[in-house]
Amino acid sequence: MGDFFLQEGNQNKCPRGASLRFAHPAPSKARPRILPVFLPLAGCPGRCLFCAQHAQTGVKTTSLEQSHDFLERCLEAARPDAPLEVGFYGGTFTALPRAWRDRFMATASRHRERGVVSGVRCSTRPDRAQAGLLRELAAQGLDRVELGVQTFCERVLRLAERGHGADASLEACLAVREAGLGLSLHLLPGLPGHTPEDFARDVEQAAALAPEAVRLHPCLVLAGTGLEQLWRSGGYEPWSLERTIKALAPAVLRLWRAGVAVTRIGLAHEPDLEAAVLAGPTHPALGMRVRALALHLFVAELLGDRRAAGLRAPAAVSGGFWGHARELAAPYAALGLERDRVRFEDRDDFQLDVRDD
Ligand code: SF4
C-alpha cells in the first residue's frame, strides 16, 4: 500500500495499511520581531473586572511620556537588518488623547523611513474601534489591530461588566477589515459564567471571522481586580487547569484548521504576574501542553477507528510531542503509538503508518 496525501475532506478515506503524509496542522506564518510598548490602562474607559495590566505587563510605567521615551530609545538603537514591529499594548490605544496617538504614530513612521520598523500594531477594545478612526490610523501607518474581544457571549459580557455587547465586537472586526488592517483577536475563556460550551462557540465565531491570529488568555484571579473581590466572596470559581487544557486543545485545533495562527496561550510569565495570581489555571508550560494535546487530537481524528503502526515526525516537534512529563504517552499508546513506534527525523512533514488489521 502506498503513500496517501492528506487533503481537506479526505481524512477518513485513508485505507488500512497505507502511509498517511501530512503537514503539521498549525499554519506556518512569519513571526515578526515585536517591540512591545506598554501603555498600562491608557485610554481605558474604566477598569475591567479581570484586568491588572501593571502585573500582566510587568511595566511600572505610569506616564505616556515615559512610554514614548522608551519607544524612541528602542527605535534609535534598532538596526535596519533586524527591523521591529511596534506593538502598542496594555491599554486602549485607539482611545488615547488624539495628540498622543498622533505622536506615537509619527515616531513609529519616522523610524519606519529609516528601515527599522517593519510594521505597527495596537491592541484595543471593540467599542473603541470605529471605522473612521481606524482609517485615520491606517493612513498614519497602523498595520494591524488586536481586538480584546474576550468572548462573544452576551451573558458573560454582561456579568463581566465589559460595557459592550457582542455586536460591538462583530462591528469592530468588520471595521478593521474595511480599514485594510490585519486582525488579531484575544479570547478570555473562563470568565464568570463562561462554560467550555460557550468557549467552543466563541472559537467557532472567531474562526468564521478569519483573523490572522488569535491569543488565548485563560481567566486568572489577579490581585487588586474586581474579580478578586468576587472570588473572595465566593461568587466566582476559575476553571481548573485540567478543564482549561481540555477546552483549549480542541479550540486550538479548530483555529489551526481554519488557517488561524494561535500566537499565545496564557499570559507571559512575568515575575510580577506570578506574584499577582491568586487563583486560576496557570502552568509554566501551558502553551506547550495545549498545543501537544491539539496535535494528539489531530492524529487521533486522522486514525478514526484504525490503529497506527508507526509515526515519523519532524525533529522540530520532538520537544513537546509527548506533552509535559510525558502526559501524552498513554493517549498515544492507545492509538498504537508506543514510544518505540514514533521516530523523529530530519523532515518537514509527518508520515503515519496505518495498521492493516
Ligand atoms: S481589559 Fe483592556 S479595556 Fe479593560 S481595563 Fe484592561 S486594558 Fe483596559
Side-chain angles (χ1 to χ4, degrees):
M1 197 72 69
D3 283 358
F4 185 86
F5 292 92
L6 180 68
Q7 288 168 344
E8 195 57 44
N10 72 352
Q11 287 95 323
N12 297 319
K13 294 183 191 143
C14 171
R16 290 176 198 276
S19 287
L20 183 56
R21 303 270 299 269
F22 57 93
H24 194 291
S28 53
K29 295 203 169 158
R31 292 204 166 198
R33 293 173 67 227
I34 294 183
L35 169 65
V37 180
F38 292 111
L39 317 164
L41 303 175
C44 298
R47 171 91 173 267
C48 296
L49 189 73
F50 49 85
C51 182
Q53 281 299 335
H54 291 284
Q56 285 164 231
T57 59
V59 171
K60 302 282 183 295
T61 308
T62 49
S63 77
L64 292 172
E65 194 68 57
Q66 283 175 297
S67 300
H68 185 267
D69 286 353
F70 170 80
L71 173 66
E72 188 73 83
R73 271 199 318 277
C74 292
L75 294 183
E76 282 295 341
R79 299 190 325 259
D81 59 343
L84 298 164
E85 184 158 333
V86 176
F88 296 111
Y89 291 133
T92 306
F93 185 76
T94 54
L96 289 185
R98 186 188 184 107
W100 273 110
R101 238 174 45 213
D102 292 351
R103 194 169 165 200
F104 278 115
M105 291 305 301
T107 299
S109 288
R110 182 159 46 78
H111 288 280
R112 198 170 198 158
E113 282 161 22
R114 285 180 49 232
V116 301
V117 171
S118 59
V120 183
R121 62 175 67 196
C122 73
S123 63
T124 193
R125 295 167 53 96
D127 58 352
R128 296 293 187 280
Q130 297 84 353
L133 175 59
L134 295 179
R135 278 196 295 272
E136 227 176 89
L137 282 162
Q140 290 178 307
L142 189 70
D143 298 286
R144 171 181 307 280
V145 173
E146 299 199 20
L147 273 183
V149 162
Q150 324 305 3
T151 175
F152 293 97
C153 176
E154 296 289 0
R155 172 177 42 81
V156 176
L157 287 169
R158 245 189 339 270
L159 284 171
E161 298 171 9
R162 184 74 173 145
H164 66 78
D167 281 0
S169 301
L170 298 174
E171 280 165 25
C173 291
L174 286 180
V176 171
R177 292 295 192 208
E178 279 170 22
L181 297 166
L183 174 67
S184 297
L185 301 180
H186 297 194
L187 297 178
L188 213 155
L191 280 164
H194 198 221
T195 64
E197 293 73 31
D198 294 325
F199 176 56
R201 282 189 287 275
D202 288 341
V203 169
E204 281 306 315
Q205 179 65 81
L209 290 163
E212 285 81 38
V214 166
R215 293 181 188 236
L216 301 172
H217 294 143
C219 189
L220 302 173
V221 179
L222 300 177
T225 60
L227 200 58
E228 177 189 357
Q229 291 167 25
L230 196 62
W231 171 69
R232 287 197 187 281
S233 68
Y236 173 64
E237 189 60 44
W239 284 9
S240 67
L241 184 59
E242 195 191 354
R243 184 183 221 199
T244 301
I245 292 173
K246 263 176 83 176
L248 264 60
V252 166
L253 182 53
R254 174 70 185 94
L255 292 166
W256 283 348
R257 283 191 160 132
V260 179
V262 179
T263 48
R264 175 159 280 286
I265 298 172
L267 295 171
H269 273 258
E270 300 284 347
D272 283 3
L273 175 70
E274 281 168 32
V277 175
L278 301 175
T282 53
H283 189 278
L286 179 65
M288 180 273 270
R289 294 179 72 178
V290 170
R291 288 186 176 92
L293 182 55
L295 181 60
H296 172 271
L297 292 175
F298 181 72
V299 173
E301 284 179 22
L302 289 180
L303 283 167
D305 61 359
R306 297 159 296 190
R307 280 173 59 82
L311 177 70
R312 293 159 191 253
V317 304
S318 64
F321 182 83
W322 298 106
H324 173 68
R326 296 186 56 79
E327 63 191 338
L328 297 177
Y332 271 116
L335 303 179
L337 292 171
E338 290 84 4
R339 185 179 197 156
D340 58 352
R341 291 180 187 265
V342 177
R343 294 223 310 256
F344 298 103
E345 300 177 342
D346 181 17
R347 58 188 299 148
D348 295 326
D349 66 348
F350 292 75
Q351 181 180 321
L352 180 64
D353 300 326
V354 180
R355 277 167 58 159
D356 54 9
D357 53 10

